[in-house]
Amino acid sequence: MAKEQQPHWSDILKRRLANPKKDERSDEEKKAEETELFTKYYTEWKGGKDKDKSYKNIPRFYYRLPAEDEILLQKLREESRAVFLQRKSRELLDNEELQHESPHCIGEEAMISYEAYLQVGERAGPKCKKFFTARVYAKLLHNDPYGRISIMQFFNYVMRKVWLHQTRIGLSLYDVAGQGYLRESDLENYILELIPTLPQLDGLEKSFYSFYVCTAVRKFFFFLDPLRTGKIKIQDILACSFLDDLLELRDEELSKESQESNWFSAPSALRVYGQYLNLDKDHNGMLSKEELSRYGTATLTSVFLDRVFQEYLTYDGEMDYKTYLDFVLALENRKEPAALQYIFKLLDMENQGYLNVFSLNYFFRAIQEQMKLHGQEPVSFQDVKDEIFDMVKPKDPYKITLQDLVNSCQGDTVTSILIDLNGFWTYENREVLVANDNDNSNTADLDDT
């Protein structure tokens, strides 16, 4: 028996939106009403007889924030914001309601037509109504021949939306200024109070909490506050993946590999802090240039390290843990625009906004000197310079801007060539390394056979 053809969802929507009531007034009556309304609104707009007082019709759109000494007004504002956020939180589906609505599909993926979708929406509770709209349905509609959507995809969409709203409300509670952004101290308080809710951090000693919070907060500010204003928009926090990584630590069965690649995990935070302690040979809690020179493979050039201590915050010529975290984030994420911006500022010695042949030569000379110290024949700068310009392909053939580096997708390679002997050696021997990798994989295949 042939399957009954379901009406198309767009036809159903058109029928529902069609206005069944007909206007039975005559054209003269309609025209008279139109003229009356036009005269009324035009007179109000012009101000009528009270033209000089027309400013009173402008709705108030600016509300002054309470000053620091207006304690009562500040408390009133904080209390009213807290009540507002609590009300918004009650409007969301809670975890129990979400679990109750969760689809239990086995085997073939369950689908739903637009007509059935609307029927479910009519029976759903008031908290669910906003999810049963034509806009949501169209967003989830893909290539189903019957114009249906996946029930599981719809449920996941609802889950994601609810999670975003819950998180936004949670972050907004720490927004002391009430302006839609978090300062460093606000985000520190949020993460500190979040630690007990993350099972993967159960093993952290309380004495390490302050270092963990500092480590976590630096990643948000390094990437989301490139102008170093000291505050981040809540909207930007929600849009990036960092919060997902942080809240991933709720998973009690998170794999070892996932933990090692997650900046916010306990092993990662302990690794970074442990490296800092190992570099701090005189145990004064700070790093000198000589101590920092042992970072990684100990092959960063002294010229580059000089620039780090010239440009970024130090105390009596030594670096604290917070400045060290920015340094680590930049060197471990050289493909990212924020990391390239950090390194570019160091390479652009005269703050010109671009790198020229002189800049490149200045930094590469230090690589050549290191090669001599290791008994290697120095590579010609002219060859390296040509390769760098060929890789980047800048708009101006004589100048490389930060944007040129980002657009080229070769910024990590270029910066490695200029600041790190190990990075330059890896680039120079890339063909040999690839060949060795292929040989090793072939050998492994033979062993398997």
Side-chain angles (χ1 to χ4, degrees), residues 11 256 291 301 305 381 419 433:
D11 296 329
K256 187 178 179 182
E291 288 172 329
T301 65
L305 292 171
F381 167 71
I419 68 174
L433 293 171

Side-chain angles (χ1 to χ4, degrees), residues 25 74 89 110 119 153 173 176 286 386:
R25 293 179 300 168
Q74 282 186 347
S89 183
Q119 290 170 0
Q153 283 185 5
L173 290 169
V176 177
M286 309 280 274
D386 291 342

Side-chain angles (χ1 to χ4, degrees), residues 235-249:
Q235 193 173 344
D236 290 342
I237 295 174
L238 292 170
C240 76
S241 63
F242 302 156
L243 210 53
D244 288 334
D245 294 341
L246 180 60
L247 297 178
E248 186 181 43
L249 304 180

Side-chain angles (χ1 to χ4, degrees), residues 133-175:
T133 65
R135 182 188 293 271
V136 171
Y137 191 89
K139 192 177 288 186
L140 299 174
L141 185 64
H142 296 302
N143 298 319
D144 184 72
Y146 302 105
R148 302 169 302 177
I149 63 170
S150 160
I151 293 176
M152 186 55 75
Q153 283 185 5
F154 173 67
F155 177 72
N156 289 337
Y157 171 84
V158 173
M159 284 276 287
R160 179 69 181 168
K161 280 288 185 184
V162 171
W163 179 84
L164 278 172
H165 285 302
Q166 285 175 340
T167 309
R168 179 163 197 151
I169 290 168
L171 288 168
S172 297
L173 290 169
Y174 293 83
D175 174 13

Side-chain angles (χ1 to χ4, degrees), residues 110-268:
M111 308 293 282
I112 187 170
S113 69
Y114 186 61
E115 193 167 20
Y117 171 82
L118 290 173
Q119 290 170 0
V120 173
E122 287 169 359
R123 292 197 295 269
K127 290 183 180 181
C128 300
K129 293 286 186 187
K130 59 188 172 188
F131 297 113
F132 289 90
T133 65
R135 182 188 293 271
V136 171
Y137 191 89
K139 192 177 288 186
L140 299 174
L141 185 64
H142 296 302
N143 298 319
D144 184 72
Y146 302 105
R148 302 169 302 177
I149 63 170
S150 160
I151 293 176
M152 186 55 75
Q153 283 185 5
F154 173 67
F155 177 72
N156 289 337
Y157 171 84
V158 173
M159 284 276 287
R160 179 69 181 168
K161 280 288 185 184
V162 171
W163 179 84
L164 278 172
H165 285 302
Q166 285 175 340
T167 309
R168 179 163 197 151
I169 290 168
L171 288 168
S172 297
L173 290 169
Y174 293 83
D175 174 13
V176 177
Q179 296 293 290
Y181 61 78
L182 296 184
R183 300 167 305 175
E184 206 163 328
S185 57
D186 300 331
L187 191 56
E188 284 173 353
N189 290 333
Y190 172 75
I191 292 176
L192 184 61
E193 294 184 24
L194 195 66
I195 290 175
T197 71
L198 305 174
Q200 287 295 338
L201 300 181
D202 283 347
L204 281 186
E205 294 183 13
K206 289 200 173 181
S207 58
F208 186 66
Y209 276 14
S210 61
F211 295 102
Y212 175 82
V213 169
C214 181
T215 306
V217 168
R218 280 326 298 161
K219 181 156 189 176
F220 283 95
F221 274 84
F222 182 82
F223 289 102
L224 302 180
D225 182 27
L227 299 179
R228 303 296 179 253
T229 60
K231 56 189 180 185
I232 310 174
K233 287 182 180 178
I234 291 175
Q235 193 173 344
D236 290 342
I237 295 174
L238 292 170
C240 76
S241 63
F242 302 156
L243 210 53
D244 288 334
D245 294 341
L246 180 60
L247 297 178
E248 186 181 43
L249 304 180
R250 287 175 174 168
D251 183 359
E252 295 182 18
E253 298 178 359
L254 194 64
S255 68
K256 187 178 179 182
E257 292 77 15
S258 297
Q259 288 187 55
E260 287 174 355
S261 62
N262 188 332
W263 174 266
F264 302 102
S265 71
S268 176

